[in-house]
Amino acid sequence: HNAAAVVIGAINNSDSNHGINMTSGGAGYAVDMVLTMTSTVGAGAVITVTAVDAGVITNYTVSTVGSAYLVGTSLTQSGLSAPVGGTGFTCDVTNIDIPNTQRRGCCLYSGASQTVQVELESGNTVSFVGVNAGSFLPVLTKRLLAGTNIIALY
């Protein structure tokens, strides 16, 4: 079992493709380079290069998942760790579900009094109005749509 803080719009790096789909592997990269990504929606994603072929990225991990992304958001490399040289990596966000909910949703704990809106395993959206601080929501949730101070319970 596990518990983890939930951030709305964070990239689901536990998904099989790390929550992103590479649209361009760019050129001039090396393994272990760290790429800062930017977009018009969301912020904070960082990609670590794990494999290259002749300088083109062939595999990666999302080392920092960021927040406030939407599925379909395009990310473009805006920064790069040493060694300098890589350019042109782009990708699209494909999954912002709560990590590790690919097979089964998770229950939630709310640390604040609020309305909590979630997407359930079924794909239906529901709002829990009047949730008290310290409450557990024993529903199988895939995605948090509204709420703060939320912890996923697996």
Side-chain angles (χ1 to χ4, degrees):
H1 299 297
N2 200 3
V6 179
V7 177
I8 295 174
I11 297 169
N12 179 1
N13 64 352
S14 72
D15 195 19
S16 60
N17 71 347
H18 308 287
I20 61 173
N21 181 46
M22 181 172 59
T23 52
S24 172
Y29 292 100
V31 171
D32 294 330
M33 284 183 161
V34 178
L35 316 178
T36 305
M37 306 302 291
T38 59
S39 66
T40 57
V41 176
V46 175
I47 308 292
T48 300
V49 178
T50 59
V52 297
D53 182 10
V56 176
I57 296 173
T58 58
N59 206 353
Y60 49 82
T61 60
V62 179
S63 45
T64 304
V65 295
S67 64
Y69 291 108
L70 300 172
V71 170
T73 300
S74 294
L75 304 176
T76 303
Q77 173 197 336
S78 62
L80 177 68
S81 70
V84 177
T87 185
F89 177 82
T90 59
C91 59
D92 293 333
V93 175
T94 60
N95 192 321
I96 57 170
D97 289 348
I98 297 169
N100 303 307
T101 59
Q102 290 87 331
R103 293 184 186 196
R104 173 74 46 163
C106 62
C107 295
L108 300 177
Y109 169 83
S110 176
S113 294
Q114 62 188 317
T115 295
V116 177
Q117 185 179 37
V118 298
E119 181 181 312
L120 303 173
E121 281 184 344
S122 65
N124 291 334
T125 298
V126 64
S127 293
F128 296 94
V129 179
V131 174
N132 291 319
S135 295
F136 290 90
L137 298 173
V139 294
L140 295 177
T141 303
K142 299 277 289 175
R143 186 179 297 174
L144 179 66
L145 303 171
T148 60
N149 298 316
I150 301 290
I151 297 175
L153 303 170
Y154 305 96

